[in-house]
PDB file of all heavy atoms in Angstrom:
ATOM      1  N   GLU D 433      20.569  23.725 157.265  1.00 98.00           N
ATOM      2  CA  GLU D 433      19.283  24.306 156.855  1.00 98.00           C
ATOM      3  C   GLU D 433      19.293  25.825 157.064  1.00 98.00           C
ATOM      4  O   GLU D 433      18.800  26.586 156.236  1.00 98.00           O
ATOM      5  CB  GLU D 433      18.131  23.682 157.651  1.00 98.00           C
ATOM      6  CG  GLU D 433      17.858  22.225 157.306  1.00 98.00           C
ATOM      7  CD  GLU D 433      18.997  21.277 157.706  1.00 98.00           C
ATOM      8  OE1 GLU D 433      19.679  21.529 158.732  1.00 98.00           O
ATOM      9  OE2 GLU D 433      19.252  20.298 156.969  1.00 98.00           O
ATOM     10  N   GLN D 434      19.852  26.265 158.169  1.00 98.00           N
ATOM     11  CA  GLN D 434      19.913  27.714 158.429  1.00 98.00           C
ATOM     12  C   GLN D 434      20.716  28.425 157.341  1.00 98.00           C
ATOM     13  O   GLN D 434      20.338  29.490 156.867  1.00 98.00           O
ATOM     14  CB  GLN D 434      20.556  27.987 159.793  1.00 98.00           C
ATOM     15  CG  GLN D 434      19.618  27.780 160.972  1.00 98.00           C
ATOM     16  CD  GLN D 434      20.357  27.942 162.296  1.00 98.00           C
ATOM     17  OE1 GLN D 434      21.217  27.117 162.632  1.00 98.00           O
ATOM     18  NE2 GLN D 434      20.030  29.003 163.033  1.00 98.00           N
ATOM     19  N   VAL D 435      21.836  27.818 156.968  1.00 98.00           N
ATOM     20  CA  VAL D 435      22.656  28.439 155.917  1.00 98.00           C
ATOM     21  C   VAL D 435      21.878  28.473 154.606  1.00 98.00           C
ATOM     22  O   VAL D 435      21.811  29.500 153.928  1.00 98.00           O
ATOM     23  CB  VAL D 435      23.989  27.670 155.743  1.00 98.00           C
ATOM     24  CG1 VAL D 435      24.755  28.215 154.539  1.00 98.00           C
ATOM     25  CG2 VAL D 435      24.833  27.762 157.003  1.00 98.00           C
ATOM     26  N   GLN D 436      21.231  27.345 154.277  1.00 98.00           N
ATOM     27  CA  GLN D 436      20.492  27.285 153.015  1.00 98.00           C
ATOM     28  C   GLN D 436      19.364  28.319 152.997  1.00 98.00           C
ATOM     29  O   GLN D 436      19.156  29.001 151.992  1.00 98.00           O
ATOM     30  CB  GLN D 436      19.927  25.874 152.794  1.00 98.00           C
ATOM     31  CG  GLN D 436      19.189  25.738 151.479  1.00 98.00           C
ATOM     32  CD  GLN D 436      20.036  26.127 150.275  1.00 98.00           C
ATOM     33  OE1 GLN D 436      20.996  25.446 149.930  1.00 98.00           O
ATOM     34  NE2 GLN D 436      19.725  27.266 149.648  1.00 98.00           N
ATOM     35  N   GLU D 437      18.673  28.452 154.116  1.00 98.00           N
ATOM     36  CA  GLU D 437      17.572  29.423 154.189  1.00 98.00           C
ATOM     37  C   GLU D 437      18.061  30.862 153.990  1.00 98.00           C
ATOM     38  O   GLU D 437      17.335  31.705 153.473  1.00 98.00           O
ATOM     39  CB  GLU D 437      16.879  29.352 155.568  1.00 98.00           C
ATOM     40  CG  GLU D 437      15.712  28.381 155.594  1.00 98.00           C
ATOM     41  CD  GLU D 437      15.216  28.152 157.020  1.00 98.00           C
ATOM     42  OE1 GLU D 437      15.250  29.135 157.812  1.00 98.00           O
ATOM     43  OE2 GLU D 437      14.853  27.017 157.336  1.00 98.00           O
ATOM     44  N   ALA D 438      19.276  31.110 154.400  1.00 98.00           N
ATOM     45  CA  ALA D 438      19.814  32.477 154.320  1.00 98.00           C
ATOM     46  C   ALA D 438      20.570  32.713 153.013  1.00 98.00           C
ATOM     47  O   ALA D 438      21.199  33.745 152.828  1.00 98.00           O
ATOM     48  CB  ALA D 438      20.730  32.745 155.506  1.00 98.00           C
ATOM     49  N   THR D 439      20.524  31.740 152.098  1.00 98.00           N
ATOM     50  CA  THR D 439      21.283  31.841 150.847  1.00 98.00           C
ATOM     51  C   THR D 439      20.321  31.753 149.669  1.00 98.00           C
ATOM     52  O   THR D 439      19.423  30.902 149.672  1.00 98.00           O
ATOM     53  CB  THR D 439      22.324  30.688 150.758  1.00 98.00           C
ATOM     54  OG1 THR D 439      23.143  30.726 151.922  1.00 98.00           O
ATOM     55  CG2 THR D 439      23.186  30.819 149.510  1.00 98.00           C
ATOM     56  N   GLY D 440      20.514  32.609 148.681  1.00 98.00           N
ATOM     57  CA  GLY D 440      19.581  32.717 147.560  1.00 98.00           C
ATOM     58  C   GLY D 440      19.779  31.695 146.447  1.00 98.00           C
ATOM     59  O   GLY D 440      19.260  31.875 145.347  1.00 98.00           O
ATOM     60  N   TRP D 441      20.580  30.712 146.646  1.00 98.00           N
ATOM     61  CA  TRP D 441      20.701  29.624 145.670  1.00 98.00           C
ATOM     62  C   TRP D 441      20.979  28.330 146.445  1.00 98.00           C
ATOM     63  O   TRP D 441      21.221  28.386 147.659  1.00 98.00           O
ATOM     64  CB  TRP D 441      21.793  29.906 144.642  1.00 98.00           C
ATOM     65  CG  TRP D 441      23.208  29.770 145.166  1.00 98.00           C
ATOM     66  CD1 TRP D 441      23.980  28.656 145.130  1.00 98.00           C
ATOM     67  CD2 TRP D 441      23.999  30.780 145.805  1.00 98.00           C
ATOM     68  NE1 TRP D 441      25.207  28.898 145.714  1.00 98.00           N
ATOM     69  CE2 TRP D 441      25.249  30.201 146.131  1.00 98.00           C
ATOM     70  CE3 TRP D 441      23.776  32.127 146.150  1.00 98.00           C
ATOM     71  CZ2 TRP D 441      26.261  30.913 146.787  1.00 98.00           C
ATOM     72  CZ3 TRP D 441      24.794  32.824 146.793  1.00 98.00           C
ATOM     73  CH2 TRP D 441      26.017  32.232 147.099  1.00 98.00           C
ATOM     74  N   ASP D 442      20.916  27.191 145.753  1.00 98.00           N
ATOM     75  CA  ASP D 442      21.204  25.901 146.407  1.00 98.00           C
ATOM     76  C   ASP D 442      22.692  25.826 146.702  1.00 98.00           C
ATOM     77  O   ASP D 442      23.485  25.483 145.829  1.00 98.00           O
ATOM     78  CB  ASP D 442      20.816  24.739 145.483  1.00 98.00           C
ATOM     79  CG  ASP D 442      19.310  24.537 145.474  1.00 98.00           C
ATOM     80  OD1 ASP D 442      18.613  25.145 146.331  1.00 98.00           O
ATOM     81  OD2 ASP D 442      18.834  23.791 144.597  1.00 98.00           O
ATOM     82  N   ILE D 443      23.032  26.137 147.927  1.00 98.00           N
ATOM     83  CA  ILE D 443      24.474  26.240 148.214  1.00 98.00           C
ATOM     84  C   ILE D 443      25.061  24.870 148.490  1.00 98.00           C
ATOM     85  O   ILE D 443      24.424  23.987 149.078  1.00 98.00           O
ATOM     86  CB  ILE D 443      24.745  27.244 149.363  1.00 98.00           C
ATOM     87  CG1 ILE D 443      26.250  27.564 149.433  1.00 98.00           C
ATOM     88  CG2 ILE D 443      24.206  26.729 150.699  1.00 98.00           C
ATOM     89  CD1 ILE D 443      26.562  28.826 150.212  1.00 98.00           C
ATOM     90  N   ARG D 444      26.284  24.684 148.034  1.00 98.00           N
ATOM     91  CA  ARG D 444      26.992  23.408 148.237  1.00 98.00           C
ATOM     92  C   ARG D 444      27.636  23.368 149.607  1.00 98.00           C
ATOM     93  O   ARG D 444      28.071  24.399 150.141  1.00 98.00           O
ATOM     94  CB  ARG D 444      28.137  23.263 147.239  1.00 98.00           C
ATOM     95  CG  ARG D 444      27.730  23.072 145.830  1.00 98.00           C
ATOM     96  CD  ARG D 444      29.029  22.794 145.034  1.00 98.00           C
ATOM     97  NE  ARG D 444      28.817  23.022 143.631  1.00 98.00           N
ATOM     98  CZ  ARG D 444      29.822  23.167 142.757  1.00 98.00           C
ATOM     99  NH1 ARG D 444      31.078  23.129 143.162  1.00 98.00           N
ATOM    100  NH2 ARG D 444      29.553  23.354 141.481  1.00 98.00           N
ATOM    101  N   PHE D 445      27.774  22.161 150.116  1.00 98.00           N
ATOM    102  CA  PHE D 445      28.533  21.949 151.357  1.00 98.00           C
ATOM    103  C   PHE D 445      29.697  21.013 151.045  1.00 98.00           C
ATOM    104  O   PHE D 445      29.546  20.048 150.271  1.00 98.00           O
ATOM    105  CB  PHE D 445      27.628  21.342 152.429  1.00 98.00           C
ATOM    106  CG  PHE D 445      26.552  22.297 152.889  1.00 98.00           C
ATOM    107  CD1 PHE D 445      25.343  22.398 152.192  1.00 98.00           C
ATOM    108  CD2 PHE D 445      26.755  23.103 154.005  1.00 98.00           C
ATOM    109  CE1 PHE D 445      24.366  23.292 152.596  1.00 98.00           C
ATOM    110  CE2 PHE D 445      25.768  23.996 154.424  1.00 98.00           C
ATOM    111  CZ  PHE D 445      24.567  24.094 153.712  1.00 98.00           C
ATOM    112  N   ALA D 446      30.833  21.295 151.635  1.00 98.00           N
ATOM    113  CA  ALA D 446      32.007  20.454 151.400  1.00 98.00           C
ATOM    114  C   ALA D 446      31.777  19.068 151.982  1.00 98.00           C
ATOM    115  O   ALA D 446      31.035  18.899 152.956  1.00 98.00           O
ATOM    116  CB  ALA D 446      33.240  21.080 152.034  1.00 98.00           C
ATOM    117  N   ASP D 447      32.415  18.054 151.388  1.00 96.00           N
ATOM    118  CA  ASP D 447      32.299  16.683 151.905  1.00 96.00           C
ATOM    119  C   ASP D 447      32.806  16.626 153.335  1.00 96.00           C
ATOM    120  O   ASP D 447      32.166  16.038 154.199  1.00 96.00           O
ATOM    121  CB  ASP D 447      33.113  15.733 151.018  1.00 96.00           C
ATOM    122  CG  ASP D 447      32.490  15.640 149.629  1.00 96.00           C
ATOM    123  OD1 ASP D 447      31.290  15.998 149.491  1.00 96.00           O
ATOM    124  OD2 ASP D 447      33.194  15.251 148.687  1.00 96.00           O
ATOM    125  N   ASN D 448      33.954  17.216 153.537  1.00 96.00           N
ATOM    126  CA  ASN D 448      34.516  17.208 154.895  1.00 96.00           C
ATOM    127  C   ASN D 448      34.163  18.500 155.626  1.00 96.00           C
ATOM    128  O   ASN D 448      35.033  19.286 155.983  1.00 96.00           O
ATOM    129  CB  ASN D 448      36.032  17.017 154.847  1.00 96.00           C
ATOM    130  CG  ASN D 448      36.675  17.991 153.886  1.00 96.00           C
ATOM    131  OD1 ASN D 448      35.984  18.669 153.105  1.00 96.00           O
ATOM    132  ND2 ASN D 448      37.986  18.108 153.966  1.00 96.00           N
ATOM    133  N   LEU D 449      32.872  18.718 155.810  1.00 98.00           N
ATOM    134  CA  LEU D 449      32.381  19.947 156.441  1.00 98.00           C
ATOM    135  C   LEU D 449      32.884  20.018 157.882  1.00 98.00           C
ATOM    136  O   LEU D 449      32.716  19.071 158.646  1.00 98.00           O
ATOM    137  CB  LEU D 449      30.849  19.939 156.410  1.00 98.00           C
ATOM    138  CG  LEU D 449      30.138  21.213 156.881  1.00 98.00           C
ATOM    139  CD1 LEU D 449      30.452  22.383 155.966  1.00 98.00           C
ATOM    140  CD2 LEU D 449      28.626  20.975 156.926  1.00 98.00           C
ATOM    141  N   GLU D 450      33.477  21.126 158.235  1.00 97.00           N
ATOM    142  CA  GLU D 450      34.047  21.254 159.575  1.00 97.00           C
ATOM    143  C   GLU D 450      33.191  22.143 160.460  1.00 97.00           C
ATOM    144  O   GLU D 450      32.257  22.782 159.996  1.00 97.00           O
ATOM    145  CB  GLU D 450      35.465  21.826 159.468  1.00 97.00           C
ATOM    146  CG  GLU D 450      36.388  20.872 158.726  1.00 97.00           C
ATOM    147  CD  GLU D 450      37.845  21.322 158.737  1.00 97.00           C
ATOM    148  OE1 GLU D 450      38.120  22.419 159.267  1.00 97.00           O
ATOM    149  OE2 GLU D 450      38.672  20.569 158.209  1.00 97.00           O
ATOM    150  N   SER D 451      33.556  22.165 161.719  1.00 98.00           N
ATOM    151  CA  SER D 451      32.903  23.073 162.651  1.00 98.00           C
ATOM    152  C   SER D 451      33.901  24.177 162.990  1.00 98.00           C
ATOM    153  O   SER D 451      35.041  23.903 163.371  1.00 98.00           O
ATOM    154  CB  SER D 451      32.512  22.311 163.913  1.00 98.00           C
ATOM    155  OG  SER D 451      31.935  23.210 164.832  1.00 98.00           O
ATOM    156  N   THR D 452      33.493  25.407 162.809  1.00 98.00           N
ATOM    157  CA  THR D 452      34.402  26.529 163.059  1.00 98.00           C
ATOM    158  C   THR D 452      34.774  26.546 164.539  1.00 98.00           C
ATOM    159  O   THR D 452      33.886  26.441 165.393  1.00 98.00           O
ATOM    160  CB  THR D 452      33.716  27.862 162.693  1.00 98.00           C
ATOM    161  OG1 THR D 452      33.005  27.706 161.469  1.00 98.00           O
ATOM    162  CG2 THR D 452      34.717  28.978 162.594  1.00 98.00           C
ATOM    163  N   PRO D 453      36.043  26.686 164.862  1.00 98.00           N
ATOM    164  CA  PRO D 453      36.423  26.776 166.285  1.00 98.00           C
ATOM    165  C   PRO D 453      35.773  27.983 166.944  1.00 98.00           C
ATOM    166  O   PRO D 453      35.625  29.031 166.316  1.00 98.00           O
ATOM    167  CB  PRO D 453      37.946  26.940 166.235  1.00 98.00           C
ATOM    168  CG  PRO D 453      38.360  26.515 164.879  1.00 98.00           C
ATOM    169  CD  PRO D 453      37.201  26.743 163.966  1.00 98.00           C
ATOM    170  N   GLU D 454      35.400  27.817 168.178  1.00 97.00           N
ATOM    171  CA  GLU D 454      34.755  28.912 168.916  1.00 97.00           C
ATOM    172  C   GLU D 454      35.754  30.019 169.235  1.00 97.00           C
ATOM    173  O   GLU D 454      36.961  29.780 169.309  1.00 97.00           O
ATOM    174  CB  GLU D 454      34.209  28.370 170.236  1.00 97.00           C
ATOM    175  CG  GLU D 454      33.018  27.457 170.065  1.00 97.00           C
ATOM    176  CD  GLU D 454      32.283  27.300 171.396  1.00 97.00           C
ATOM    177  OE1 GLU D 454      32.954  26.905 172.372  1.00 97.00           O
ATOM    178  OE2 GLU D 454      31.090  27.613 171.440  1.00 97.00           O
ATOM    179  N   PRO D 455      35.251  31.229 169.460  1.00 97.00           N
ATOM    180  CA  PRO D 455      36.137  32.312 169.903  1.00 97.00           C
ATOM    181  C   PRO D 455      36.725  31.982 171.276  1.00 97.00           C
ATOM    182  O   PRO D 455      36.047  31.373 172.111  1.00 97.00           O
ATOM    183  CB  PRO D 455      35.206  33.521 170.013  1.00 97.00           C
ATOM    184  CG  PRO D 455      33.956  33.155 169.299  1.00 97.00           C
ATOM    185  CD  PRO D 455      33.852  31.670 169.335  1.00 97.00           C
ATOM    186  N   SER D 456      37.936  32.395 171.494  1.00 97.00           N
ATOM    187  CA  SER D 456      38.521  32.243 172.832  1.00 97.00           C
ATOM    188  C   SER D 456      38.056  33.404 173.708  1.00 97.00           C
ATOM    189  O   SER D 456      37.613  34.450 173.202  1.00 97.00           O
ATOM    190  CB  SER D 456      40.044  32.242 172.741  1.00 97.00           C
ATOM    191  OG  SER D 456      40.491  33.553 172.422  1.00 97.00           O
ATOM    192  N   ASP D 457      38.176  33.222 174.989  1.00 97.00           N
ATOM    193  CA  ASP D 457      37.819  34.309 175.914  1.00 97.00           C
ATOM    194  C   ASP D 457      38.640  35.552 175.612  1.00 97.00           C
ATOM    195  O   ASP D 457      38.139  36.678 175.617  1.00 97.00           O
ATOM    196  CB  ASP D 457      38.076  33.877 177.364  1.00 97.00           C
ATOM    197  CG  ASP D 457      37.014  32.892 177.826  1.00 97.00           C
ATOM    198  OD1 ASP D 457      36.091  32.588 177.031  1.00 97.00           O
ATOM    199  OD2 ASP D 457      37.114  32.416 178.971  1.00 97.00           O
ATOM    200  N   ARG D 458      39.919  35.319 175.343  1.00 97.00           N
ATOM    201  CA  ARG D 458      40.768  36.481 175.085  1.00 97.00           C
ATOM    202  C   ARG D 458      40.319  37.236 173.837  1.00 97.00           C
ATOM    203  O   ARG D 458      40.250  38.464 173.826  1.00 97.00           O
ATOM    204  CB  ARG D 458      42.229  36.025 174.930  1.00 97.00           C
ATOM    205  CG  ARG D 458      43.149  37.145 174.494  1.00 97.00           C
ATOM    206  CD  ARG D 458      44.606  36.867 174.754  1.00 97.00           C
ATOM    207  NE  ARG D 458      45.434  37.603 173.813  1.00 97.00           N
ATOM    208  CZ  ARG D 458      45.574  38.914 173.764  1.00 97.00           C
ATOM    209  NH1 ARG D 458      44.947  39.673 174.662  1.00 97.00           N
ATOM    210  NH2 ARG D 458      46.346  39.488 172.866  1.00 97.00           N
TER     211      ARG D 458
END
Side-chain angles (χ1 to χ4, degrees):
Chain D
E433 291 67 33
Q434 281 175 292
V435 173
Q436 182 56 68
E437 269 170 35
T439 305
W441 73 92
D442 283 349
I443 192 162
R444 291 186 199 164
F445 293 86
D447 293 341
N448 51 349
L449 187 64
E450 296 187 356
S451 177
T452 318
E454 290 197 305
S456 71
D457 286 358
R458 173 161 153 67

